Amino acid sequence: MLTVDDVLEQVGEFGWFQKQTFLILCLLSAAFAPIYVGIVFLAFTPDHRCRSPGVAELSRRCGWSLAEELNYTVPGPGPEGQCLRYEVDWNQSALSCLDPLAGLAANGSALPLGPCVQGWVYDTPGSSIVTEFNLVCDDSWKVDLFQSCVNLGFFLGSLGVGYIADRFGRKVCLLATTITCAVSGVLMAVAPDYTSLLLFRLVQGLVSKGSWTAGYTLITEFVGLGYRRTVAILYQMAFTIGLVLLSGLAYILPHWRWLQLAVSLPIFLLLFCYWFVPESPRWLLSQKRNTEAIKIMDHIAQKNGKLPPADLKMLSVEEDVTEKLSPSFTDLFRTPILRKYTFILMYLWFTSSVVYQGLIMHVGATGGNLYLDFLYSALVEFPAAFIILVTIDRFGRRYPLATFNLVTGLACFLMIFIPHDLPWLNITIACVGRMGITIGFQMVCLVNAELFPTFIRNLGMMVCSSLCDVGGILTPFLVFRLMEVWQGSPLILFAALGLVAGGMTLLLPETKGVTLPETIEDAENLQRKAKPKERKIYLQVQTSELNTQVPERDASQGNAQQE
């Protein structure tokens, strides 16, 4: 029977229609970047000190510089100077300008210190949720909660949004999640208090990752088999473009409410996707809506300037013999080898999320120039995508994945010893680590799909990648609370996670040129160079092609055995 891939081979696997659709959907990927890591600018914490009534007037009367004012009126640098104040009436006329605190302490004892009951003064020309809601000192953990909420939304929403996409279609899912994401983003910008801000942030997390995933699924289902991997990597590169644009917007709009509006309002324009992007013909076929699928394939042929095949009306969903097997969560742990795959992949997903988000947060909190440091570290993701495209076919998956995890761990370890007076060296090494974890993040997705048998492949991807969201929930608390102990503490954690991930990757089998497993037995045989069976599905060759093109099948089998 004629399948979608058969038709795409004739009407164009990546023609004008696919290119247009790809560019439109890439806007979704770019719009996801401010949601994922926008905390760097929305919740930056500037230098601050307790607000003490009378200090500003005394400073003006005495003609103090800012340094002199801090020296005379603030208890000291660090947390003590940021969260405590001298319990002194600064409006006293007896205070001198040379040493205002002299003689106030009896018998040379220290002056009493108290909490910042009058609020704080922030040394920044802009604003953030930290400066507006005073999320410092005893309330600094609320910044962590702000970022954890969006990751909690990712975790909770992944199941619900995935069900909507499979039950009602990719297009309906895309429309619903895009509207909700845009509305919740605007509501965040006008939130009157921290509680409502947190609620809207959670809602945005519930749908934003689903919107990104719906776009990812659509574009990979529209292109031919030979372009899916490249398109998937380039779609993720659009996320990097969003990071670059975010740094520029944040520099132009230093006030968090305006920045939040600037990244949320354009999402409404993505609603036009509903009229320009059709439903996935593969999904329509799976729902027995063949007439609609045929119309869409005919539309694709016209857009690409090609004639549809004469037997287009014979289009049908490709039969999958594995559908008779019912997937179960326990199947992921049924045998020792599958248990090993599952636990290692869960750890790799967790590590990728913690180190990726953690490096962004750490550089944002410790860097010299917030905007430039963020921009530099975002730019290294472009060569990361190119490296992936070049290495996975030449060197396989296992060794590049292990190497770049080790590079990330080593970079984080070296950052611990870089002195503060060499910020250029610190950001350079941080960029190396960022590039390494970016490559690891994207490659683990590919490896995850190639290790599990067909009937539990989606389940395995969902379960293992859920550790990515769990890592995102924990990362803000790990980074910011460890930095209170010592600034380099998070780097020790990142280094350990990366180095262990590199070692654990070597325990996985190589999947380059190997047939995708259909059964649990096939998955267990990946570590042994077993002779491929005839009814296996090749990564780059379609099953239907195997049945009609015997020479190509034999050549593919020969290549798989050689590798």
Side-chain angles (χ1 to χ4, degrees), residues 199-259:
L199 176 63
F200 298 139
R201 180 71 165 168
L202 177 63
V203 172
Q204 194 173 49
L206 285 170
V207 296
S208 56
K209 188 177 180 181
S211 179
W212 185 91
T213 305
Y216 180 93
T217 303
L218 262 177
I219 191 55
T220 54
E221 290 183 342
F222 275 130
V223 301
L225 188 63
Y227 288 89
R228 283 180 202 162
R229 186 182 61 208
T230 302
V231 162
I233 293 174
L234 293 178
Y235 182 79
Q236 295 179 66
M237 190 186 293
F239 175 86
T240 305
I241 295 175
L243 295 177
V244 173
L245 294 176
L246 175 61
S247 61
L249 274 175
Y251 180 78
I252 297 170
L253 302 171
H255 297 280
W256 78 272
R257 290 188 184 272
W258 288 110
L259 176 61

Side-chain angles (χ1 to χ4, degrees), residues 40-60:
V40 174
F41 301 109
L42 296 176
F44 73 90
T45 303
D47 291 333
H48 53 278
R49 59 190 180 277
C50 294
R51 184 185 302 279
S52 299
V55 167
E57 291 76 6
L58 179 62
S59 180
R60 281 195 296 270

Side-chain angles (χ1 to χ4, degrees), residues 270-286:
L270 298 177
L271 296 178
F272 288 105
C273 289
Y274 190 80
W275 288 276
F276 290 100
V277 179
E279 181 56 87
S280 166
R282 300 176 193 271
W283 179 81
L284 289 172
L285 288 172
S286 72

Side-chain angles (χ1 to χ4, degrees), residues 489-508:
S489 298
L491 297 174
I492 298 176
L493 175 64
F494 301 158
L497 288 173
L499 294 173
V500 172
M504 292 183 70
T505 301
L506 297 176
L507 300 177
L508 296 174

Side-chain angles (χ1 to χ4, degrees), residues 77-120:
E80 186 178 67
Q82 294 176 338
C83 301
L84 296 173
R85 66 178 183 87
Y86 291 121
E87 293 190 335
V88 171
D89 181 6
W90 296 101
N91 291 309
Q92 299 178 55
S93 57
L95 295 176
S96 69
C97 293
L98 295 179
D99 190 0
L101 299 179
L104 291 181
N107 301 322
S109 60
L111 287 169
L113 301 176
C116 302
V117 293
Q118 301 294 330
W120 286 264

Side-chain angles (χ1 to χ4, degrees), residues 508-528:
L508 296 174
E510 178 56 68
T511 56
K512 175 195 170 188
V514 178
T515 57
L516 290 177
E518 284 190 65
T519 65
I520 291 178
E521 181 183 358
D522 294 338
E524 291 189 318
N525 288 334
L526 284 175
Q527 289 186 311
R528 297 186 292 269

Side-chain angles (χ1 to χ4, degrees), residues 165-449:
D166 288 338
R167 176 66 179 84
F168 301 102
R170 282 70 163 116
K171 195 172 176 180
V172 171
C173 177
L174 190 65
L175 178 67
T177 55
T178 301
I179 290 176
T180 308
C181 184
V183 171
S184 58
V186 171
L187 291 175
M188 277 180 59
V190 297
D193 51 51
Y194 174 78
T195 303
S196 57
L197 177 70
L198 212 61
L199 176 63
F200 298 139
R201 180 71 165 168
L202 177 63
V203 172
Q204 194 173 49
L206 285 170
V207 296
S208 56
K209 188 177 180 181
S211 179
W212 185 91
T213 305
Y216 180 93
T217 303
L218 262 177
I219 191 55
T220 54
E221 290 183 342
F222 275 130
V223 301
L225 188 63
Y227 288 89
R228 283 180 202 162
R229 186 182 61 208
T230 302
V231 162
I233 293 174
L234 293 178
Y235 182 79
Q236 295 179 66
M237 190 186 293
F239 175 86
T240 305
I241 295 175
L243 295 177
V244 173
L245 294 176
L246 175 61
S247 61
L249 274 175
Y251 180 78
I252 297 170
L253 302 171
H255 297 280
W256 78 272
R257 290 188 184 272
W258 288 110
L259 176 61
Q260 180 61 32
L261 271 178
V263 299
S264 299
L265 290 176
I267 300 178
F268 284 103
L269 298 177
L270 298 177
L271 296 178
F272 288 105
C273 289
Y274 190 80
W275 288 276
F276 290 100
V277 179
E279 181 56 87
S280 166
R282 300 176 193 271
W283 179 81
L284 289 172
L285 288 172
S286 72
Q287 301 299 306
K288 310 301 181 185
R289 294 161 62 177
N290 293 27
T291 303
E292 296 174 61
I294 291 171
K295 287 182 180 179
I296 291 175
M297 295 306 297
D298 185 64
H299 172 72
I300 293 175
Q302 292 179 22
K303 281 283 188 177
N304 289 346
K306 300 288 183 69
L307 291 175
D311 55 349
L312 181 60
K313 292 184 178 179
M314 300 296 293
L315 183 67
S316 65
V317 66
E318 188 173 10
E319 292 186 6
D320 186 359
V321 297
T322 61
E323 286 183 348
K324 298 177 182 178
L325 297 173
S326 299
S328 169
F329 179 78
T330 57
D331 289 328
L332 298 175
F333 307 91
R334 186 172 300 278
T335 67
I337 290 180
L338 275 183
R339 280 198 295 272
K340 182 177 75 171
Y341 292 169
T342 302
F343 285 126
I344 291 177
L345 288 168
M346 290 170 74
Y347 178 81
L348 292 179
W349 277 106
F350 179 82
T351 296
S352 297
S353 176
V354 171
V355 179
Y356 181 85
Q357 292 191 57
L359 275 177
I360 292 176
M361 294 177 192
H362 190 268
V363 169
T366 61
N369 187 310
L370 177 63
Y371 306 101
L372 285 179
D373 291 345
F374 185 89
L375 175 63
Y376 295 151
S377 61
L379 289 174
V380 301
E381 293 196 13
F382 288 110
F386 176 76
I387 290 172
I388 293 173
L389 290 172
V390 171
T391 57
I392 57 176
D393 284 333
R394 294 187 179 183
F395 305 105
R397 283 79 159 134
R398 182 174 60 167
Y399 289 119
L401 179 57
T403 298
F404 287 109
N405 272 311
L406 292 172
V407 167
T408 300
L410 182 61
C412 294
F413 181 74
L414 292 176
M415 287 173 65
I416 299 171
F417 304 99
I418 298 176
H420 295 294
D421 56 351
L422 293 175
W424 63 270
L425 182 59
N426 186 71
I427 190 62
T428 300
I429 302 299
C431 285
V432 173
R434 173 77 173 274
M435 182 171 65
I437 199 61
T438 299
I439 294 173
F441 215 152
Q442 295 189 22
M443 288 192 71
V444 70
C445 183
L446 175 64
V447 172
N448 200 145

